[in-house]
Amino acid sequence: MSKPNKKRYRLSEVKQQFTEALGGQEVEFELDNGEVLTFPHPLFADDEWSTAVDDAESSREKAHAILGDEQYDKYVAAGHSDNDIALLFLAVQQDMRDQVKKRPTRS
C-alpha cells in the first residue's frame, strides 16, 4: 500500500549524494613541503579508525590515530605539530556539519 506524500530513500543514492557533497570518502590535505596525505572522512570511516580517534587522549595520540604510523612520520618530518592536525580535523567536522544541514534531497 502506498503512503501519500511519503518518499522512499535509496541508501545507495543517499551515500552517493553525501560523498559528492563532502568531496569524497577521504580527506586530502597538503603539507608545507607539498606532499599530500589522506585520512578517512569521519562520516565514512570504519569503526576501528573511529574508535582509535575517539579513544585517543592526547593531541599526539589523536594525530597518530587519524594519520596512522607511516603518514604520521611524514607529517612530523615535514615540520607539522600535532595541534595542526587537530585544527584540520576540526575544520573537516565543521564542513561536514555545514553540508549535512544542506543534506541531499530525497528521491
Side-chain angles (χ1 to χ4, degrees):
M1 177 166 166
S2 69
K3 298 176 183 179
N5 300 322
K6 296 272 183 167
K7 294 191 179 198
R8 179 176 297 161
Y9 290 97
R10 287 202 173 116
L11 292 177
S12 60
E13 289 178 10
V14 170
K15 185 175 182 179
Q16 183 61 35
Q17 289 170 343
F18 275 103
T19 299
E20 290 172 8
L22 295 170
Q25 294 185 23
E26 284 191 333
V27 174
E28 286 188 0
F29 65 102
E30 187 173 328
L31 303 177
D32 288 345
N33 66 5
E35 190 169 3
V36 176
L37 302 181
T38 65
F39 59 86
H41 193 286
L43 189 61
F44 301 107
D46 64 31
D47 288 342
E48 183 179 336
W49 184 89
S50 296
T51 299
V53 172
D54 290 345
D55 289 350
E57 294 184 11
S58 68
S59 295
R60 183 179 192 281
E61 288 176 358
K62 190 164 288 272
H64 221 290
I66 290 169
L67 297 175
D69 294 334
E70 184 180 326
Q71 287 196 128
Y72 181 80
D73 291 343
K74 291 177 182 179
Y75 175 79
V76 171
H80 295 278
S81 75
D82 297 329
N83 291 330
D84 292 341
I85 200 71
L87 292 173
L88 174 62
F89 198 71
L90 185 62
V92 168
Q93 290 175 320
Q94 183 63 50
D95 287 347
M96 180 174 60
R97 282 191 291 274
D98 292 347
Q99 289 300 327
V100 169
K101 284 180 187 175
K102 303 178 211 173
R103 74 180 176 86
T105 59
R106 292 182 271 185
S107 52

